[in-house]
Amino acid sequence: MSNYILLSCFVSFALVASPVAPAQSGSFQVAQNGHAVGTATFNFAQIPDGYDSTSVVRVAMQGLDYSLSKTESLTSVNQLRHAQLSAVVNDSAVHVVAAPDEAQLVINISANGRSTATRLAAHSGAVFLPDFDPGALETLLALAVANNNRDLWAILPKQAGTLEPIQLATYPDERGTIEGKAIAVHHLVATIAGAGTDLFSGPENQLLQAELPQAGFALIRDGFVLTPPAKPGAPPQAPPTN
């Protein structure tokens, strides 16, 4: 696994859910093939003209020692104002800053003694998506609702920074429990740059679980159990037309 590039996580979500709550937080287990290898948390705080969010991730396993700290400022409709992260991937430090600049988005990445500045097309439905970041996934859920599951983009802190479209497919609802209580579970699959991620979210638009495409990794909210736990194999439904 690269010790320089932050790979991206990605998901989306069903139209029936509500936007992100004014203030909420979540704690997750990072698992690989069913075994806990780390933790991830996020916190959203409402401010007069939008949201401030923070995310902290820690993964420690053979072949991957990864830590992430991210702060982000969003508008009241969850559009990116500014994002900053510091990460260490297998002893290599990475620092990333992303922010809109007039009609473009500028992403600055410093890693391994090298710095790059890249200008990307600006999109109102773009979300900044570093590895294993549940806060980024939560923001994506809200943007999916606001944009009717359309015109969604992933800002990926890879190499010099890239922008990729997100394609969504809706699957049948699943079942699960949170702290032992039954909960409705929505299921979508998001595809970015040819890689798919299963997203499971609750009736209040909260991220419950994300099955990531990297080597069996998953994010699982504390107290949540998907029943059955295996990935569903039903064919996807076509996205709604409006």
Side-chain angles (χ1 to χ4, degrees):
M1 186 170 297
S2 170
N3 61 356
Y4 167 42
I5 299 172
L6 295 180
L7 301 175
S8 56
C9 304
F10 17 89
V11 292
S12 188
F13 143 84
L15 292 171
V16 296
S18 59
V20 68
Q24 65 181 44
S25 60
S27 298
F28 293 77
Q29 177 188 95
V30 182
Q32 186 189 42
N33 299 324
H35 301 286
V37 295
T39 59
T41 63
F42 73 82
N43 184 73
F44 283 85
Q46 190 172 32
I47 58 177
D49 56 350
Y51 305 97
D52 284 340
S53 74
T54 58
S55 296
V56 176
V57 179
R58 183 73 178 94
V59 177
M61 56 180 288
Q62 184 175 3
L64 178 61
D65 189 4
Y66 174 83
S67 61
L68 167 78
S69 177
K70 187 201 74 178
T71 60
E72 195 171 47
S73 176
L74 305 170
T75 70
S76 59
V77 290
N78 298 288
Q79 295 175 2
L80 178 67
R81 283 200 184 106
H82 184 270
Q84 180 171 321
L85 74 82
S86 296
V88 176
V89 186
N90 293 342
D91 297 324
S92 292
V94 181
H95 185 72
V96 183
V97 177
D101 179 14
E102 297 179 348
Q104 294 181 309
L105 182 134
V106 181
I107 181 167
N108 294 280
I109 299 179
S110 299
N112 290 343
R114 299 166 53 189
S115 297
T116 60
T118 303
R119 290 184 175 271
L120 304 172
H123 292 275
S124 60
V127 59
F128 183 70
L129 284 174
D131 264 350
F132 306 117
D133 180 2
L137 308 184
E138 196 87 1
T139 299
L140 182 54
L141 299 183
L143 285 171
V145 174
N147 288 25
N148 210 21
N149 276 14
R150 299 171 183 270
D151 195 27
L152 300 172
W153 298 80
I155 303 165
L156 307 181
K158 301 174 64 175
Q159 299 176 354
T162 61
L163 185 70
E164 297 287 347
I166 302 172
Q167 298 176 335
L168 304 181
T170 303
Y171 280 62
D173 281 357
E174 301 295 331
R175 295 179 297 169
T177 60
I178 186 107
E179 304 297 344
K181 297 181 180 179
I183 186 173
V185 179
H186 305 303
H187 179 198
L188 269 79
V189 173
T191 301
I192 301 176
T197 293
D198 288 74
L199 168 71
F200 302 92
S201 61
E204 297 179 357
N205 197 20
Q206 69 272 44
L207 176 68
L208 298 174
Q209 184 165 318
E211 296 285 344
L212 311 176
Q214 299 103 323
F217 281 104
L219 285 171
I220 306 169
R221 183 181 284 263
D222 289 353
F224 175 69
V225 177
L226 181 67
T227 53
K231 286 185 179 181
Q237 301 172 350
T241 57
N242 55 53

